[in-house]
Amino acid sequence: MKNINIRELALELNLSVSTVSKALNDSYEISEETKRRVLETAARLNYVPNPYASSLRGRKSKNIGVVIPEVADSFFSLAINGIESVAKEKGYHVLICLTHESFENERTILKEFQGGRVDGVLLSVSRETTQCNHISDLIANGLPLVFFDRACDNVETAKITTDDFESAYKATAHLIQQNCDQIAFLSISKSLSISNKRLEGYLQALSDYQIKVDQKYIIHCSNDAEQNYLLIKKLLQQKNKPNGIIASVEKLTTPVYMACEALKLKVPKDVKIVCFSNLETAAILNPSLTTITQPAFEMGKTAATLLFRALENRNFSLIKEDFIIPSTLVVRGSTSH
Amino acid sequence: MKNINIRELALELNLSVSTVSKALNDSYEISEETKRRVLETAARLNYVPNPYASSLRGRKSKNIGVVIPEVADSFFSLAINGIESVAKEKGYHVLICLTHESFENERTILKEFQGGRVDGVLLSVSRETTQCNHISDLIANGLPLVFFDRACDNVETAKITTDDFESAYKATAHLIQQNCDQIAFLSISKSLSISNKRLEGYLQALSDYQIKVDQKYIIHCSNDAEQNYLLIKKLLQQKNKPNGIIASVEKLTTPVYMACEALKLKVPKDVKIVCFSNLETAAILNPSLTTITQPAFEMGKTAATLLFRALENRNFSLIKEDFIIPSTLVVRGSTSH
């Protein structure tokens, strides 16, 4: 005897899937008579409940899912702390899943989440993510989702970001004011919205200060530390090497410093460095590192607060809830005379 | 009409809970006749399936749970990468849950896991964990569990640790060979097995080199960064201040460096420093940091490999599977002349 799914069961009963689901979950909204009819028909037609089926979602998991590229990055570890500070208060658990910057991983994780394992999702997309159907599908299936830091612009839901354009502009202007006229920009993705906004801020500052853009100073790094080190070293070995560097993500800090050391370039005398970074060790590096420090904890907290507002009130729409929380330029030894 | 649970349903049917569970999950082991009988009785007696009930666990979640104190620590972020390298190959997802060093959080998370959300658990206990019933309960409920890094000695299951005693001994001996005779040890817990083993290694080395133990050099730090900074500063302000420091966890690195800077103590001239740390930035600190580098990725990978062995073979016992993977002393500027 073939199993039937909840849709077929609902059809047979001439009820909606939602009513059948509620009946199977013993909802107070459904009459005892209907519940019995549903269970009897389910038995007769060999309906086998899927413990994770989204149609059973009436029963809350009391989990929220956090999907991020990695944890070996201070931004994400601080953002998680911000998220957990809210979840704890609400009596929820936080399940963290890592994509390791892979689109395929991200898709599989979100698909899994549709099975009722979590009640809502906080997402920072992978560097490979260029199309967003997997995210729209999740939302269409009734799971609220809030982006933080890295968002898909064309998915209509809340986005908590920082002022990536303005921060990169500020970093570039700071280097120019410190007499840099050959400034390199290290990106990690050609598609990621935050990478592009930071690149645009850099380009705008160069333009405003009448410095010509030189494409050889714009480096697209990868997810491989060793390869990034070699790329940066090559950048610093060419004729007309840069005298200023903006690293757009934290994990480029170590390869930049190591490349300067290998080439015996003095920081900040020969080359000045600004990194987008929340590294706790920024102040004790050799030399101490000038950073664009992101409001990581605040961003996580705000994203989680919005998600819970949506979970607690089905009428609350996440669509118009975009927040931009500004980052701070912290000037330290790597850019001062 | 009151709901009944699976136990009552099994009693009514004169079948075992396991048979009923398998029937509800449409297992090939159960005859079609029995399946129908189970479903009919379930409907008649108003049995409402709990999507997360452990009795339905026959249906694998294809998740493993990783429970750790925090992610803002390179050891744990690297260990997670090791765990994920194995899980990915096996087609499993990794759900990461943080205890933030709280025993209460740890207990709640493990309890949640008993609901069938994960098929197995990798655990590194919180600094507050002194009794382990919550862990034994989980194992007794049939969920395989492997400890990594921080274990409960009296729970019988696999433990993947590093040579904490020997590493601390090596660090202490190294400082003595660099002419330190007043060596402080910074601990983070009085109860954690790894803290105690590291403390013992330190004490043994002092004893072997005939250096008297001075209790004022043994500092128990907390989970609060600011408070730790003040404790360390106080340690370095006293008469007969230490000329060597062993920090037993990574997160003490920044407060130690900051305290030295605030007091204008030169590292390594005035005070030499070794940290248990997997910080990527160790080599670019001012000065570069001598570390006990733990085999974090390997430990995560080994723990996950054992867990999957237990998941794939019910006859495989985790009890005698203890592995100690050695750490490495990496000498850098903070201890050399």
Side-chain angles (χ1 to χ4, degrees):
Chain A
M1 191 174 180
K2 194 184 152 290
N3 293 346
I4 63 162
N5 64 28
I6 195 164
R7 213 169 295 276
E8 293 161 320
L9 179 59
L11 203 67
E12 175 72 23
L13 284 156
N14 204 16
L15 291 171
S16 73
V17 168
S18 140
T19 302
V20 172
S21 166
K22 283 175 182 165
L24 290 169
N25 280 293
D26 201 27
S27 162
Y28 67 92
E29 297 171 52
I30 308 296
S31 72
E32 289 304 316
E33 171 52 29
T34 304
K35 282 181 201 166
R36 283 184 75 159
R37 198 158 75 83
V38 169
L39 282 165
E40 272 159 19
T41 312
R44 185 164 51 79
L45 300 180
N46 205 25
Y47 165 68
V48 175
N50 174 351
Y52 293 120
S54 58
S55 40
L56 291 174
R57 200 181 299 136
R59 196 180 293 258
K60 284 217 193 312
S61 71
K62 285 278 185 180
N63 286 327
I64 60 167
V66 176
V67 184
I68 53 177
E70 53 179 325
V71 282
D73 181 300
S74 312
F75 173 82
F76 290 115
S77 55
L78 289 169
I80 288 170
N81 289 348
I83 292 165
E84 298 229 350
S85 74
V86 180
K88 199 184 170 172
E89 204 176 279
K90 301 285 183 184
Y92 269 64
H93 282 294
V94 175
L95 301 183
I96 303 160
C97 294
L98 308 183
T99 62
H100 294 287
E101 303 283 12
S102 143
F103 171 70
E104 215 30 61
N105 287 345
E106 184 177 296
R107 221 163 56 122
T108 320
I109 291 165
L110 291 196
K111 206 160 178 189
E112 268 280 300
F113 278 174
Q114 294 197 24
R117 195 159 276 134
V118 299
D119 299 337
V121 177
L122 299 170
L123 170 63
S124 200
V125 299
S126 87
R127 62 192 284 269
E128 288 179 5
T129 302
T130 50
Q131 64 101 325
C132 303
N133 291 344
H134 60 307
I135 305 170
S136 311
D137 283 357
L138 190 87
I139 296 172
N141 260 289
L143 266 194
L145 179 144
V146 174
F147 287 110
F148 70 104
D149 195 40
R150 305 174 175 190
C152 280
D153 284 338
N154 54 350
V155 175
E156 289 210 319
T157 189
K159 300 174 184 77
I160 313 303
T161 52
T162 181
D163 55 348
D164 293 296
F165 176 91
E166 290 79 2
S167 301
Y169 186 100
K170 237 188 296 183
T172 313
H174 170 64
L175 285 175
I176 297 170
Q177 285 151 12
Q178 299 299 96
N179 300 319
C180 298
D181 54 0
Q182 294 171 173
I183 301 173
F185 183 87
L186 311 181
S187 161
I188 54 145
S189 165
K190 286 187 186 179
S191 58
L192 214 48
S193 63
I194 56 164
S195 282
N196 290 332
K197 283 176 193 156
R198 291 173 193 175
L199 180 58
E200 283 163 25
Y202 156 82
L203 294 172
Q204 186 64 51
L206 291 186
S207 157
D208 287 358
Y209 284 86
Q210 282 143 354
I211 294 178
K212 252 217 199 110
V213 175
D214 190 337
Q215 288 298 331
K216 78 173 181 212
Y217 291 152
I218 300 172
I219 307 288
H220 293 282
C221 294
S222 73
N223 205 22
D224 177 310
E226 181 59 22
Q227 209 176 312
N228 290 340
Y229 168 74
L230 295 174
L231 267 174
I232 296 162
K233 209 167 142 188
K234 207 175 128 200
L235 168 75
L236 290 168
Q237 277 174 312
Q238 57 190 292
K239 241 180 77 166
N240 295 321
K241 63 177 190 330
N243 50 22
I245 294 180
I246 296 171
S248 70
V249 289
E250 178 176 297
K251 71 167 164 224
L252 297 173
T253 307
T254 305
V256 169
Y257 270 63
M258 299 295 265
C260 290
E261 196 186 298
L263 299 170
K264 301 203 187 314
L265 292 170
K266 292 244 179 303
V267 182
K269 196 179 140 279
D270 302 327
V271 55
K272 296 184 173 56
I273 301 168
V274 186
C275 286
F276 279 75
S277 167
N278 288 69
L279 271 178
E280 204 199 63
T281 54
I284 61 171
L285 296 188
N286 184 22
S288 64
L289 175 66
T290 295
T291 56
I292 294 289
T293 302
Q294 297 165 279
F297 185 93
E298 279 308 310
M299 285 167 75
K301 193 174 160 183
T302 308
T305 303
L306 278 175
L307 183 66
F308 279 106
R309 206 171 295 164
L311 286 173
E312 287 165 357
N313 179 359
R314 289 271 161 198
N315 295 323
F316 176 76
S317 166
L318 287 168
I319 290 176
K320 299 274 172 218
E321 297 291 333
D322 287 359
F323 285 88
I324 298 174
I325 309 177
S327 295
T328 318
L329 172 71
V330 182
V331 176
R332 297 198 187 87
S334 65
T335 59
S336 50
H337 297 292
Chain B
M1 189 175 181
K2 194 186 150 290
N3 293 345
I4 63 163
N5 63 28
I6 195 164
R7 215 170 294 276
E8 295 161 318
L9 179 59
L11 203 67
E12 176 71 24
L13 285 156
N14 204 16
L15 291 171
S16 72
V17 168
S18 140
T19 302
V20 172
S21 165
K22 283 175 183 165
L24 289 168
N25 279 292
D26 200 27
S27 162
Y28 66 92
E29 298 171 52
I30 309 296
S31 72
E32 290 303 317
E33 171 52 30
T34 305
K35 282 181 199 165
R36 284 183 77 156
R37 197 158 75 85
V38 169
L39 281 165
E40 270 158 19
T41 313
R44 185 167 48 83
L45 299 180
N46 206 25
Y47 165 68
V48 175
N50 175 351
Y52 294 120
S54 57
S55 40
L56 292 174
R57 201 179 298 137
R59 194 181 294 258
K60 285 216 191 315
S61 72
K62 285 278 186 177
N63 285 327
I64 60 167
V66 176
V67 184
I68 52 177
E70 52 179 324
V71 282
D73 181 299
S74 313
F75 173 82
F76 289 115
S77 55
L78 290 169
I80 288 170
N81 289 348
I83 291 165
E84 298 228 351
S85 73
V86 180
K88 201 183 168 174
E89 204 176 281
K90 302 284 182 186
Y92 269 65
H93 281 294
V94 175
L95 301 182
I96 302 160
C97 293
L98 307 183
T99 63
H100 293 288
E101 302 284 11
S102 144
F103 172 70
E104 216 30 60
N105 287 346
E106 183 176 297
R107 221 163 56 123
T108 319
I109 292 166
L110 291 196
K111 207 159 177 190
E112 268 279 302
F113 277 174
Q114 293 196 24
R117 195 159 276 134
V118 299
D119 299 336
V121 177
L122 298 171
L123 170 63
S124 201
V125 299
S126 87
R127 62 192 282 271
E128 287 180 5
T129 302
T130 50
Q131 64 100 328
C132 302
N133 291 344
H134 60 307
I135 305 169
S136 311
D137 283 358
L138 189 86
I139 296 172
N141 260 289
L143 265 195
L145 179 144
V146 174
F147 288 111
F148 70 104
D149 196 40
R150 305 173 175 192
C152 279
D153 284 337
N154 55 351
V155 175
E156 289 208 319
T157 189
K159 299 174 184 77
I160 313 302
T161 52
T162 181
D163 54 348
D164 294 296
F165 176 92
E166 291 79 3
S167 301
Y169 186 100
K170 237 188 299 184
T172 314
H174 171 65
L175 285 175
I176 296 169
Q177 285 151 11
Q178 300 297 96
N179 299 319
C180 298
D181 54 0
Q182 293 170 176
I183 301 172
F185 182 89
L186 311 180
S187 161
I188 54 145
S189 165
K190 286 186 187 181
S191 59
L192 214 49
S193 63
I194 56 163
S195 283
N196 290 333
K197 283 176 193 156
R198 290 173 193 176
L199 181 58
E200 284 162 26
Y202 156 82
L203 294 172
Q204 186 64 49
L206 292 186
S207 158
D208 287 358
Y209 284 86
Q210 282 145 355
I211 294 178
K212 251 217 201 110
V213 175
D214 191 336
Q215 288 299 331
K216 80 172 180 214
Y217 291 152
I218 299 172
I219 308 288
H220 293 283
C221 293
S222 74
N223 205 22
D224 179 311
E226 182 58 23
Q227 210 176 310
N228 290 339
Y229 168 73
L230 296 173
L231 267 174
I232 296 162
K233 210 167 141 185
K234 208 175 128 200
L235 167 75
L236 289 168
Q237 277 174 313
Q238 57 190 295
K239 244 182 71 169
N240 295 322
K241 63 174 192 326
N243 50 23
I245 293 180
I246 296 172
S248 70
V249 289
E250 178 175 296
K251 71 168 164 223
L252 297 173
T253 307
T254 305
V256 168
Y257 270 62
M258 299 294 266
C260 289
E261 195 184 297
L263 298 170
K264 301 203 189 310
L265 291 170
K266 293 245 180 302
V267 181
K269 197 178 140 279
D270 302 326
V271 55
K272 295 182 173 58
I273 302 168
V274 186
C275 285
F276 279 74
S277 167
N278 288 70
L279 271 178
E280 203 199 63
T281 54
I284 60 171
L285 296 188
N286 184 21
S288 62
L289 175 66
T290 295
T291 57
I292 294 288
T293 302
Q294 296 166 280
F297 186 92
E298 281 307 311
M299 285 169 74
K301 194 175 160 182
T302 308
T305 303
L306 278 174
L307 184 65
F308 279 105
R309 206 171 295 164
L311 285 173
E312 287 166 356
N313 179 0
R314 289 274 159 196
N315 296 322
F316 176 76
S317 166
L318 286 167
I319 290 176
K320 300 274 172 218
E321 298 289 335
D322 288 0
F323 285 88
I324 298 174
I325 309 178
S327 294
T328 317
L329 172 70
V330 181
V331 177
R332 297 198 187 88
S334 66
T335 60
S336 50
H337 296 291

